[in-house]
Amino acid sequence: MINSIRALRGMAVAPHAAAAQSALAVLREGGNAVEAMLAAAATIPVAYPHMNAIGGDAFWLIHAPGRPVRAIDACGAAAAAATREWYAAHGITQSIPFRGGVAANTVAGTVSGWDLAFAYGRELGGRLPLTRLLGDAIEYAEQGIPVTRSQSASTAAKRGELAPQPGFAATFLPGGEVPPAGALFRQPRLAATLRHLAARGLDDFYRGELARAIAADLAAAGSPLALADLERHRAQWRTPLALAHSLGTLHNMPPPTQGVVSLLILGILDALGIAAVDPASADYVHLCVGGGQAGLRRARPSHHRSGLHAHGCAVASRAGARARAGGGDRPRSGRAVGRRTRTRRHGLDGRDRR
């Protein structure tokens, strides 16, 4: 049986229990939801490092009572030097490699998202300092946190591919071995970075001592990213996408995320009347798979057109309205929704590489 979890005084959800607990602890200390989420966001790369890191990007949806839903886009831009000419000069004329310094070609935006969210949390009455909000993450990184089964399995699976990369073995292979599930995993360099950010401010990641150290390390690794790229970066406020769903208005991020696809899928499933289907049934799975295929198909033709998200969500919304009125956009018996899709890779010369 599938049961929904409900809470009266607050709720925090994260891929790792330690991150959710960090958020709940902040709420119990009088912090607001934005501060709680910042604490969780800082803990997750420590507790779940094979799936999340401060070297990535971040996207936030925030709804404060009585205010419009807001979105933070903390996705870093490509390096100014990351051109075909730069790669050609480095002997790369086809696809950009997936590994190595030359693959590190976009600014890590995550910490800038924390910074903008922290400022907004203050605007909403937040009072807790960064030292507290990053405190759990710093302690877990310094003192250690048990390795999950997925971290151990992922490290073992990727060891041959990643071990030659600078810093990987020192971080993820303590003693030169894959840490087993349950072993205490320490990350002293990440702890030092987080402690530095808590003391100097999050902007130091882009325009301070830490930024200069990052830029030097990237240059040594052969990355096209430079200090000027870090200094130019700012997280931005965006207007989130909205979908009129039978249960209320749903929001998600605009491009460059897949937010529009997720809303299309949810709108299509709403149109198909999935609320009336048993979540544990084969019919439910069939509708989800078909709705996912249909959502991807509707999004693909317009990927390079501005206004994609507005058109796509309007389509899903209209489909839902017709379905609730008793007609349209339901699959015929015996026919799956959607069609098979094909992924394409494009090299630097723009050629299709299927």
Side-chain angles (χ1 to χ4, degrees), residues 93-224:
T93 58
Q94 300 296 318
S95 298
I96 297 172
F98 287 103
R99 305 297 183 195
V102 293
N105 56 14
T106 61
V107 174
T110 291
V111 175
S112 69
W114 296 2
D115 201 16
L116 195 55
F118 180 66
Y120 190 50
R122 282 283 202 258
E123 184 182 324
L124 297 174
R127 304 181 308 277
L128 296 180
L130 273 177
T131 50
R132 170 62 192 90
L133 300 181
L134 304 189
D136 283 6
I138 293 169
E139 181 175 354
Y140 287 136
E142 284 182 338
Q143 303 302 319
I145 193 164
V147 173
T148 62
R149 285 196 302 270
S150 64
Q151 179 184 340
S152 183
S154 180
T155 304
K158 298 292 184 181
R159 179 177 183 172
E161 172 182 356
L162 294 175
Q165 303 305 322
F168 178 83
T171 301
F172 291 100
L173 301 174
E177 299 297 332
V178 174
L184 205 59
F185 185 64
R186 294 182 175 88
Q187 300 167 84
R189 291 183 298 174
L190 179 56
T193 297
L194 293 172
R195 190 177 293 281
H196 180 94
L197 291 171
R200 301 288 183 88
L202 298 169
D203 191 65
D204 197 83
F205 192 94
Y206 303 95
R207 284 163 284 278
E209 180 184 345
L210 187 55
R212 292 188 288 274
I214 291 171
D217 284 346
L218 286 167
S223 168

Side-chain angles (χ1 to χ4, degrees), residues 93-96 342-354:
T93 58
Q94 300 296 318
S95 298
I96 297 172
R342 177 177 292 164
T343 301
R344 299 181 179 181
R345 284 186 62 196
H346 293 273
L348 289 171
D349 56 3
R351 293 177 182 172
D352 181 4
R353 309 190 190 286
R354 300 187 186 186

Side-chain angles (χ1 to χ4, degrees), residues 70-99:
R70 304 186 73 182
I72 294 176
D73 179 347
C75 181
T83 62
R84 291 185 179 185
E85 292 74 21
W86 186 91
Y87 280 103
H90 289 76
I92 300 169
T93 58
Q94 300 296 318
S95 298
I96 297 172
F98 287 103
R99 305 297 183 195

